[in-house]
Amino acid sequence: MSQKSKQRRLIDTDIHERATYSELLPYLDNPWRRYIEDNHWMQEKHMPYTQPTVAGVDRADAVTPDGGAAGSDLGFMQQQLLDENGHEYGILTGALDPSPSSMHGWYEMATALASAYNDWQIENWLEKDDRLYGSVHIAAQDPQQAVREIERVGSHPKMVQILLPIDKTSWGNPYYHPIYEAAERHNLSIGMHHNEPPTHFGDWPRYFIEWHTMVPTSHMIEVSNMVFNGVFEKFPNLHLIMIEGGFTHVPHLMKKMDQQYKELRHEVPWVNRMPSDIVRDHIRFTTQPVEEMSEKEFMQYVDQMGSENMICFSTDYPHWDYDSPLQALPKLDKTLEEKIFSENARASYPKLPQMQGSVTT
Amino acid sequence: MSQKSKQRRLIDTDIHERATYSELLPYLDNPWRRYIEDNHWMQEKHMPYTQPTVAGVDRADAVTPDGGAAGSDLGFMQQQLLDENGHEYGILTGALDPSPSSMHGWYEMATALASAYNDWQIENWLEKDDRLYGSVHIAAQDPQQAVREIERVGSHPKMVQILLPIDKTSWGNPYYHPIYEAAERHNLSIGMHHNEPPTHFGDWPRYFIEWHTMVPTSHMIEVSNMVFNGVFEKFPNLHLIMIEGGFTHVPHLMKKMDQQYKELRHEVPWVNRMPSDIVRDHIRFTTQPVEEMSEKEFMQYVDQMGSENMICFSTDYPHWDYDSPLQALPKLDKTLEEKIFSENARASYPKLPQMQGSVTT
């Protein structure tokens, strides 16, 4: 472990471990198992672009020593990520593409895959490294089944959030509220991570660079949708973490929502305070892929957000645009740095071990 | 005219004049005329929300003295808007909902409607008030026909821009480049204004407040699409004005595009400089609907954009959320104020009368 990184606590809010179908087979019952084993069924996957590296969307140097996909080997991840950076904790967000919640049709298969993934994750990752905490994957197309899955694995001590993919689903919709009810019941946070499907007027933009530039717009849509649908009034203990969307879009979004609320609040009477206050209290944003910037620029964004508690560091390991804890952010004030690298995440995941005398409340 | 407003030059970059179908009939040939007159054909229009005022999306007090739709009467607009605020110039952006460029199918009818609208606009507005300048409406679904329409009316001395609706069309697509070629040929700018269709994963969000909050995301998609498709390298004299989307999203967008360009420029080798420089040179953003903010907050956005030349004032008359030139912005430095209220727009519309010794270049 490098001495430099040992100097600060680090909670990494976005690590992608990866399962292959063959690894999931032992966790699947028939007929689901047979569809993959005998029928060679695969999930839809269509990203129509050349990929940024020879390892696709992953770091080329994260391919495992025996040639396996990046993120597929715990030992190698421990060495390359957790030990190297001195992680206190890391939150696993998976890499089953697309998420079961994004599968079109055949929700039963999606439900079976989510369950198998959760069991595989618990056995092979969460119970093998004290530093790793996990995400409950669900097939939200059928909220009743999704809630059953949350009930089944959500009380596992290493499960800290329910993962919802950002796709074409408006997650504020009352149809999905049973999921938030279950989250509160199990002290789980909600993590939202964009999935591969389109954000561009519902279609694919022409280039990967466009798609990647536009990722925050889909995060903005979800935040606005959650706020104006009154989710945080209905579930006052809910924590929402927006993952892999960065944070530089947040000042605009807060300002814009507030202005619209001043003018149009009669339309959403269930929202009973300023959207920016709701965001400050309930929503966190993970840093990666953070733009290169000076401390002055960074602090301007923090000033515009009106809070030091909203940004949580993430590496997004093993993706191609991995952010190093040592290099990604400018030098910041020590207290703020502590919040961003660990304490904001700790406060947003109630099931993470809490510090005695923590600086955040 | 109020004394206060007379103190500064004002170029208003977004005024919605409105035509009824019956007014357009004299400008339509058969069979198009007959579809409306005999078959009572109407354009699609589906905004599925309650509207913010009794006059729909318009100011209730802008309904004309004889009960006509807001924006439909030149005399009343002169009195309520142009005389009252001492406008030097105003850019008309129309209110034919949806824009002919957004009509699904039947492009021939869309082309006929765009032509009729342009003739009606020239005769009843542009040639009746020296202060008013106009937008060439087109049916871009058929770029050849669109170019014909630009050739037909684009050289009219009061036409200053081609209007493109922000809808589900990615305007950077090479399919539309003949339109930009025609724009350069006629010294016309491109104005983009969101239309009524969805920006929310391609579908309608649940509430008007959500739709209205998310309007800038569709502006972001178009700017990114225009930049990464290399439109401004191919058309180095093109001016793009993003209308009715505000500007507080722009710092994030510039920062984000630059970062992606640093990492992924190999994918778009025709883009040969930093996206933020392209934006600063070619793209302007109209203020309305501007968020209430202090001078300090306003200047933070200007600082983040790295230019005082990118913001142009607009009232958006007669919409419900009209911004008054006297009240919408905080008190600003005199030179910056002059740029925002007039000189930035003058520099972005080459066909507007230029000042001797103008402060902008």
Side-chain angles (χ1 to χ4, degrees):
Chain A
M1 188 191 310
S2 82
Q3 282 309 308
K4 208 169 166 196
S5 52
K6 268 190 80 174
Q7 290 167 8
R8 65 177 162 220
R9 291 175 186 277
L10 172 60
I11 299 178
D12 183 350
T13 52
D14 187 22
I15 302 174
H16 295 281
E17 88 288 8
R18 179 179 290 279
T20 60
Y21 281 130
S22 61
E23 286 176 302
L24 292 185
L25 288 177
Y27 303 91
L28 280 167
D29 291 328
N30 277 327
W32 318 111
R33 178 178 176 142
R34 216 170 48 223
Y35 293 128
I36 293 176
E37 208 161 29
D38 300 346
N39 299 2
H40 304 285
W41 176 86
M42 293 183 70
Q43 285 175 281
E44 319 140 89
K45 181 142 171 25
H46 333 262
M47 194 169 246
Y49 308 114
T50 55
Q51 299 287 308
T53 78
V54 291
V57 294
D58 293 318
R59 279 169 57 170
D61 71 345
V63 172
T64 66
D66 57 353
S72 65
D73 179 324
L74 173 62
F76 190 57
M77 178 193 285
Q78 285 168 330
Q79 175 195 325
Q80 190 170 42
L81 179 71
L82 307 179
D83 299 344
E84 173 65 24
N85 291 299
H87 277 53
E88 183 183 5
Y89 302 118
I91 316 288
L92 296 179
T93 51
L96 193 62
D97 303 326
S99 157
S101 285
S102 292
M103 277 176 59
H104 298 106
W106 212 17
Y107 300 164
E108 296 80 0
M109 181 67 175
T111 297
L113 275 176
S115 282
Y117 195 90
N118 291 330
D119 289 339
W120 170 85
Q121 182 193 179
I122 290 170
E123 186 174 328
N124 297 286
W125 297 80
L126 304 187
E127 298 188 345
K128 291 218 171 129
D129 190 309
D130 286 346
R131 294 166 291 189
L132 294 177
Y133 284 76
S135 301
V136 178
H137 294 253
I138 56 173
Q141 300 89 335
D142 181 340
Q144 308 313 113
Q145 288 298 321
V147 167
R148 281 187 59 177
E149 181 63 16
I150 298 165
E151 296 295 335
R152 191 179 75 84
V153 297
S155 59
H156 188 284
K158 302 288 292 296
M159 284 293 195
V160 295
Q161 73 183 349
I162 299 164
L163 196 74
L164 300 179
I166 300 176
D167 190 343
K168 293 185 177 177
T169 307
S170 298
W171 290 112
N173 190 324
Y175 183 80
Y176 301 108
H177 290 195
I179 293 167
Y180 308 131
E181 204 170 84
E184 278 198 344
R185 200 156 52 236
H186 291 281
N187 223 8
L188 296 164
S189 304
I190 299 292
M192 275 194 201
H193 187 292
H194 59 273
N195 206 336
E196 311 227 345
T199 56
H200 186 92
F201 303 137
D203 203 352
W204 290 100
R206 186 173 297 268
Y207 307 109
F208 180 80
I209 192 173
E210 275 190 86
W211 180 84
H212 209 250
T213 297
M214 286 300 108
V215 163
T217 61
S218 60
H219 287 240
M220 292 163 70
I221 289 170
E222 294 293 0
V223 169
S224 161
N225 184 254
M226 294 286 279
V227 166
F228 289 130
N229 274 268
V231 171
F232 300 103
E233 275 79 5
K234 198 164 167 188
F235 305 101
N237 299 315
L238 203 65
H239 295 272
L240 172 62
I241 296 94
M242 303 300 296
I243 303 168
E244 208 178 320
F247 61 86
T248 59
H249 59 288
V250 178
H252 157 69
L253 179 61
M254 293 170 77
K255 195 86 189 151
K256 182 81 181 168
M257 285 196 296
D258 278 0
Q259 187 67 33
Q260 298 309 300
Y261 183 69
K262 287 179 200 168
E263 295 169 8
L264 296 164
R265 57 188 294 179
H266 59 274
E267 196 194 13
V268 286
W270 42 85
V271 179
N272 56 30
R273 58 204 186 112
M274 292 299 275
S276 62
D277 287 332
I278 295 172
V279 172
R280 268 185 290 267
D281 282 357
H282 289 276
I283 312 184
R284 301 296 175 256
F285 301 86
T286 71
T287 49
Q288 196 277 343
V290 67
E291 297 91 343
E292 294 162 41
M293 63 178 96
S294 66
E295 182 186 4
K296 181 204 156 210
E297 289 175 286
F298 193 98
M299 293 312 298
Q300 246 177 356
Y301 289 111
V302 172
D303 184 42
Q304 288 173 320
M305 285 187 262
S307 166
E308 296 193 340
N309 302 331
M310 294 167 62
I311 300 174
C312 301
F313 189 79
S314 61
T315 62
D316 191 34
Y317 179 90
H319 286 174
W320 66 281
D321 51 351
Y322 166 85
D323 276 344
S324 158
L326 297 177
Q327 295 170 2
L329 303 191
K331 178 92 191 107
L332 299 171
D333 162 88
K334 189 124 194 74
T335 309
L336 178 59
E337 194 174 87
E338 191 171 313
K339 289 185 172 195
I340 291 173
F341 279 95
S342 59
E343 299 320 302
N344 290 345
R346 203 187 309 273
S348 309
Y349 288 109
K351 284 182 70 179
L352 278 185
Q354 299 298 306
M355 280 175 72
Q356 305 277 325
S358 159
V359 293
T360 53
T361 49
Chain B
M1 188 191 314
S2 81
Q3 282 309 308
K4 208 166 165 196
S5 52
K6 268 189 78 173
Q7 290 166 8
R8 67 179 160 219
R9 291 175 186 278
L10 172 60
I11 299 179
D12 183 350
T13 52
D14 188 22
I15 302 174
H16 294 281
E17 88 288 8
R18 180 178 289 279
T20 60
Y21 282 129
S22 62
E23 285 175 303
L24 292 185
L25 288 177
Y27 302 90
L28 281 168
D29 291 328
N30 276 330
W32 319 112
R33 179 180 175 140
R34 216 169 46 222
Y35 293 126
I36 294 175
E37 207 162 29
D38 299 345
N39 300 3
H40 305 285
W41 177 86
M42 292 184 69
Q43 285 173 279
E44 319 139 269
K45 180 140 172 24
H46 332 263
M47 193 169 248
Y49 308 114
T50 56
Q51 299 288 306
T53 76
V54 292
V57 293
D58 294 317
R59 279 169 56 170
D61 71 345
V63 172
T64 66
D66 57 353
S72 64
D73 179 323
L74 173 61
F76 190 58
M77 179 192 286
Q78 287 169 328
Q79 174 194 326
Q80 191 171 42
L81 179 71
L82 307 178
D83 299 344
E84 174 64 24
N85 292 299
H87 277 54
E88 182 184 5
Y89 302 118
I91 316 288
L92 296 179
T93 51
L96 191 62
D97 302 329
S99 157
S101 284
S102 293
M103 276 176 60
H104 298 105
W106 213 17
Y107 300 162
E108 296 80 0
M109 182 66 175
T111 297
L113 275 176
S115 282
Y117 195 90
N118 290 331
D119 289 339
W120 169 85
Q121 182 193 177
I122 290 169
E123 185 173 330
N124 297 286
W125 297 81
L126 305 187
E127 297 189 344
K128 290 217 171 132
D129 190 309
D130 287 346
R131 295 166 291 188
L132 295 177
Y133 284 77
S135 301
V136 178
H137 295 252
I138 57 174
Q141 300 90 335
D142 182 341
Q144 309 312 114
Q145 289 297 321
V147 167
R148 281 186 60 176
E149 182 63 15
I150 297 165
E151 296 296 336
R152 193 180 73 84
V153 297
S155 59
H156 188 283
K158 302 292 289 297
M159 283 295 194
V160 295
Q161 74 183 348
I162 299 163
L163 195 74
L164 300 179
I166 301 176
D167 189 343
K168 293 184 179 179
T169 307
S170 297
W171 290 112
N173 191 325
Y175 183 80
Y176 301 108
H177 290 194
I179 293 167
Y180 308 132
E181 205 171 83
E184 278 199 344
R185 200 157 51 236
H186 290 281
N187 224 6
L188 295 165
S189 304
I190 300 292
M192 277 196 201
H193 188 291
H194 58 274
N195 206 339
E196 311 225 345
T199 55
H200 187 91
F201 303 137
D203 202 354
W204 290 101
R206 185 174 297 270
Y207 307 108
F208 181 79
I209 192 173
E210 276 191 85
W211 179 84
H212 209 250
T213 296
M214 287 300 109
V215 163
T217 62
S218 60
H219 287 240
M220 291 163 72
I221 288 170
E222 294 293 1
V223 169
S224 162
N225 184 253
M226 293 286 279
V227 166
F228 289 130
N229 273 269
V231 172
F232 300 103
E233 275 78 6
K234 198 164 167 187
F235 305 101
N237 299 315
L238 204 65
H239 295 272
L240 171 62
I241 296 94
M242 303 300 297
I243 303 168
E244 208 178 320
F247 60 86
T248 59
H249 60 288
V250 178
H252 158 69
L253 179 61
M254 293 171 76
K255 195 88 188 150
K256 182 81 181 168
M257 284 197 296
D258 278 359
Q259 187 66 33
Q260 299 308 302
Y261 183 69
K262 287 178 200 168
E263 296 169 6
L264 297 164
R265 56 188 293 179
H266 58 276
E267 197 194 14
V268 287
W270 42 85
V271 179
N272 56 29
R273 57 204 186 114
M274 293 298 277
S276 62
D277 287 332
I278 295 173
V279 173
R280 268 186 290 266
D281 281 356
H282 289 276
I283 312 184
R284 301 296 174 256
F285 301 86
T286 71
T287 49
Q288 196 278 344
V290 68
E291 297 91 342
E292 295 161 42
M293 64 179 95
S294 66
E295 182 185 5
K296 181 205 157 211
E297 290 175 286
F298 193 98
M299 292 312 297
Q300 247 176 355
Y301 289 111
V302 171
D303 184 41
Q304 289 173 320
M305 285 189 262
S307 167
E308 296 193 340
N309 301 332
M310 294 168 60
I311 301 173
C312 302
F313 189 79
S314 61
T315 62
D316 191 35
Y317 180 89
H319 287 174
W320 66 280
D321 51 352
Y322 166 86
D323 275 345
S324 159
L326 297 177
Q327 295 171 1
L329 303 191
K331 178 93 191 108
L332 299 170
D333 161 88
K334 188 124 193 72
T335 309
L336 178 59
E337 194 174 89
E338 191 170 312
K339 289 185 171 194
I340 291 173
F341 279 95
S342 59
E343 299 319 303
N344 289 346
R346 203 185 311 271
S348 309
Y349 288 109
K351 286 182 68 180
L352 278 185
Q354 299 298 305
M355 278 176 72
Q356 305 277 328
S358 158
V359 292
T360 55
T361 50

